[in-house]
Amino acid sequence: MLRNSRIRWGLKALLVASLFLVVGCGSISGTVSSCGGPLQGVTVELSGPACATTKTTTDASGNYRFPWLVKGTYTVTPLMSGYSFTPAYQTVTMGKEKHITGVNFDAGSGAGAYTISGSISVPISGNAPLPGVTVE
């Protein structure tokens, strides 16, 4: 009885391993940086054949990773308010490769990256407009 159980377990393990070889199972990883340093907290979005859309966040070293991916074409897009990314997204095709690394992005400040708040005061009285001051 014990021998039959071991044989069945061995056959199941062989079947699962064979499926991974046929379907393929790998990962996509990379880094997001800004001004040469890592950028933590960037949402990285992955869309492709095996998933509608999945997301992860970069760690303190700016790294991200999407494991357990099947063969196919994926789009990797970094997202973070106040930043624009170069490139804006990357298309990656996973074929025979098991692990695709170096899908990197560089972040630069985009529209809305900075806000200025405060007040303007002048030592004059009346409602005269301030020369040279434009508020948009």
Side-chain angles (χ1 to χ4, degrees):
M1 209 37 131
L2 183 60
R3 182 170 185 238
N4 287 342
S5 175
R6 286 184 182 168
I7 290 172
R8 274 186 259 144
W9 174 251
L11 290 174
K12 286 179 186 177
L14 181 62
L15 177 63
V16 169
S18 299
L19 285 174
F20 279 125
L21 289 174
V22 171
V23 173
C25 190
S27 66
I28 296 173
S29 63
T31 302
V32 180
S33 60
S34 179
C35 299
L39 188 58
Q40 180 178 9
V42 177
T43 299
V44 182
E45 185 177 271
L46 180 76
S47 57
C51 56
T53 298
T54 187
K55 297 177 183 179
T56 190
T57 304
T58 57
D59 62 17
S61 299
N63 297 320
Y64 70 90
R65 183 171 183 258
F66 293 102
W68 303 105
L69 301 174
V70 298
K71 294 177 184 178
T73 300
Y74 295 87
T75 301
V76 183
T77 309
L79 306 163
M80 187 174 203
S81 179
Y83 288 90
S84 60
F85 296 91
T86 304
Y89 65 90
Q90 292 190 52
T91 302
V92 179
T93 301
M94 183 174 293
K96 293 181 181 181
E97 305 86 358
K98 290 296 178 190
H99 306 287
I100 297 175
T101 60
V103 183
N104 301 328
F105 298 90
D106 187 41
S109 60
Y114 304 98
T115 34
I116 300 172
S117 62
S119 60
I120 299 172
S121 61
V122 292
I124 59 173
S125 62
N127 293 330
L130 297 173
V133 176
T134 304
V135 179
E136 295 180 15

